[in-house]
């Protein structure tokens, strides 16, 4: 349900309710409201409040990944890597969020548009991947102790996706859009975000979230029903919690990466825009990168074809 209200010539209000049902997470009702103040016909300010939720995805529910490690004693101690088993869990709760956003939109010219936002989001039940147990290396029937840490040396580390606690996300976005020609447009945007996790009344920065992201793109609307979208994405390096560094032998960091995506589309003119054939290439140049600090979990190039029909 959604409705708009014009309070004055300069003030517009919008309110909405939404209900979603998921066969694992069950049903959720979310709300959203916004107020837009028109400074003039080219510039406006917007305040938005909303509640939302995110169901765990397929990986967080059902993922199973085994990274085979070394047999202790067959490699130098400083190079030793334990076996790591990563598992999803079907008893995860959805992440519940409450967000506040203040934004500005300005049409600088007929071709140039500028947007900026600052936002605050509070999340309950933040889902993250964490160590939940381990099997130690056994020597003579007893766990082998690492003299440097005083802790057992892990042979197998078990890591699950879990609801870790509450989190607060504070950030800002800046975007510029420009129409270079009637058939070619482009955009650039930058996002900075800092995430804090609260547990037992103590708030600290939540690792496992990149602080800086940058995107740029070109949109081509060509003749004869042809279109193309070229998209570049950069993500900052990501530090992961100390548990990763300890269990993965000094790892615990995902490197920064840049990837390029491409979409090609064709709408046959004879069908009056009702049918579109498209091909999407994720990670077009097959850049080897990983969002998690696991050596053998890279995201490789994927190509997907889509046929859509509207009526």
């Amino acid at each position: 349900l959604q409705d708009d209200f014009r309070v004055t010539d300069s003030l517009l209000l919008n309110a909405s309710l939404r209900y979603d049902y998921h066969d694992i997470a069950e049903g959720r009702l979310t709300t959203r409201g916004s107020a837009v103040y028109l400074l003039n016909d080219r510039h406006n300010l917007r305040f938005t409040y909303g509640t939302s939720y995110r169901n765990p995805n397929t990986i967080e529910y059902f993922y199973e990944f085994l990274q085979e490690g070394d047999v202790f004693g067959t490699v130098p101690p400083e190079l030793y890597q334990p076996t790591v088993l990563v598992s999803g869990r079907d008893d995860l709760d959805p992440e519940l969020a409450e967000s506040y956003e203040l934004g500005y939109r300005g049409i600088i010219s007929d071709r140039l548009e500028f947007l900026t936002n600052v936002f605050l989001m509070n999340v309950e039940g933040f889902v993250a991947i964490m160590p939940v147990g381990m099997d130690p290396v056994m020597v003579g029937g007893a766990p082998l102790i690492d003299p440097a840490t005083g802790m057992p040396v892990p042979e197998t580390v078990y890591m699950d996706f879990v609801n870790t606690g509450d989190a607060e996300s504070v950030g800002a976005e800046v975007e510029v859009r420009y129409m270079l020609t009637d058939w070619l447009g482009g955009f650039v945007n930058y996002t900075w975000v800092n995430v804090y996790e609260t547990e037992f009344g103590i708030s600290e920065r939540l690792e496992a979230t990149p602080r800086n992201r940058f995107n740029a793109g070109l949109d081509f609307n060509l003749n004869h029903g042809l279109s193309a979208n070229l998209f570049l994405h950069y993500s900052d390096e990501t530090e992961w919690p100390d548990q990763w560094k300890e269990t993965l032998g000094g790892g615990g960091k995902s490197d920064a990466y840049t990837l390029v995506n491409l979409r090609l589309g064709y709408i046959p003119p004879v069908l009056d825009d009702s049918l579109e054939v498209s091909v999407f290439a994720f990670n077009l140049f097959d850049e080897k990168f990983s969002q998690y600090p696991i050596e053998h979990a890279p995201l490789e190039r994927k190509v997907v074809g889509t046929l859509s029909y509207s009526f």
Side-chain angles (χ1 to χ4, degrees):
L1 297 175
Q2 178 174 311
D3 204 355
D4 299 309
F5 311 89
R6 180 177 290 274
V7 180
T8 69
D9 290 341
S10 300
L11 181 60
L12 308 176
L13 301 180
N14 173 276
S16 63
L17 290 173
R18 173 172 172 164
Y19 180 81
D20 294 272
Y21 182 81
H22 188 278
D23 59 353
I24 297 178
E26 299 183 347
R28 297 283 173 179
L29 180 68
T30 56
T31 61
R32 183 178 177 87
S34 64
V36 178
Y37 184 75
L38 306 177
L39 301 172
N40 53 46
D41 59 351
R42 286 179 171 261
H43 302 270
N44 66 66
L45 299 174
R46 184 188 73 257
F47 174 77
T48 303
Y49 167 82
T51 61
S52 60
Y53 73 98
R54 186 189 74 86
N55 285 323
N57 58 38
T58 302
I59 290 177
E60 292 163 341
Y61 272 140
F62 305 115
Y63 187 61
E64 289 287 341
F65 174 77
L66 179 66
Q67 178 176 301
E68 293 284 357
D70 303 312
V71 176
F72 189 82
T74 62
V75 297
E78 65 273 13
L79 299 179
Y80 171 73
Q81 295 281 341
T83 293
V84 178
L85 176 62
V86 180
S87 302
R89 295 178 53 163
D90 61 7
D91 60 350
L92 289 172
D93 293 325
E95 294 177 350
L96 305 180
E98 185 177 45
S99 62
Y100 307 83
E101 182 177 323
L102 179 63
Y104 162 77
R105 176 175 179 261
I107 301 175
I108 311 305
S109 70
D110 292 340
R111 294 185 178 272
L112 179 63
E113 183 178 1
F114 176 79
L115 305 95
T116 185
N117 299 287
V118 292
F119 57 85
L120 167 67
M121 178 180 291
N122 297 311
V123 180
E124 297 180 10
F126 188 82
V127 176
I129 184 169
M130 301 291 290
V132 295
M134 67 96 168
D135 294 331
V137 174
M138 302 297 290
V139 177
L144 178 65
I145 303 300
D146 184 346
T149 64
M151 301 293 291
V153 176
E155 180 179 59
T156 302
V157 176
Y158 301 95
M159 309 193 76
D160 288 358
F161 288 94
V162 297
N163 295 104
T164 61
D166 300 337
E168 179 182 88
S169 175
V170 180
E173 301 171 320
V174 178
E175 181 169 348
V176 176
R177 301 173 184 170
Y178 188 73
M179 289 297 299
L180 288 83
T181 69
D182 292 340
W183 54 269
L184 176 60
F187 73 91
V188 293
N189 64 48
Y190 166 76
T191 302
W192 172 87
V193 63
N194 218 4
V195 182
Y196 298 88
E197 184 178 21
T198 302
E199 191 171 8
F200 305 114
I202 300 174
S203 181
E204 60 181 11
R205 183 177 183 273
L206 179 66
E207 296 177 296
T209 53
R211 287 191 178 185
N212 302 285
R213 292 190 179 100
F214 172 82
N215 300 295
L218 292 173
D219 299 317
F220 302 83
N221 291 301
L222 307 174
N223 294 328
H224 310 296
L226 296 172
S227 64
N229 309 97
L230 188 64
F231 181 81
L232 180 143
H233 172 73
Y234 167 82
S235 182
D236 202 1
E237 68 178 17
T238 305
E239 290 281 354
W240 288 76
D242 290 339
Q243 295 96 322
W244 284 84
K245 301 173 186 178
E246 296 167 1
T247 57
L248 298 183
K253 176 185 287 188
S254 299
D255 294 332
Y257 63 86
T258 302
L259 59 86
V260 175
N261 300 329
L262 174 66
R263 179 187 178 277
L264 301 175
Y266 174 64
I267 299 176
V270 295
L271 296 179
D272 194 26
D273 297 343
S274 59
L275 178 70
E276 182 181 31
V277 180
S278 62
V279 176
F280 177 76
F282 168 80
N283 193 8
L284 179 65
F285 299 113
D286 204 20
E287 177 74 18
K288 295 299 186 291
F289 73 99
S290 178
Q291 295 175 322
Y292 300 109
I294 299 176
E295 180 181 357
H296 303 296
L299 295 174
E300 300 176 342
R301 177 172 54 220
K302 292 180 175 62
V303 179
V304 179
T306 302
L307 178 66
S308 60
Y309 181 77
S310 58
F311 54 90

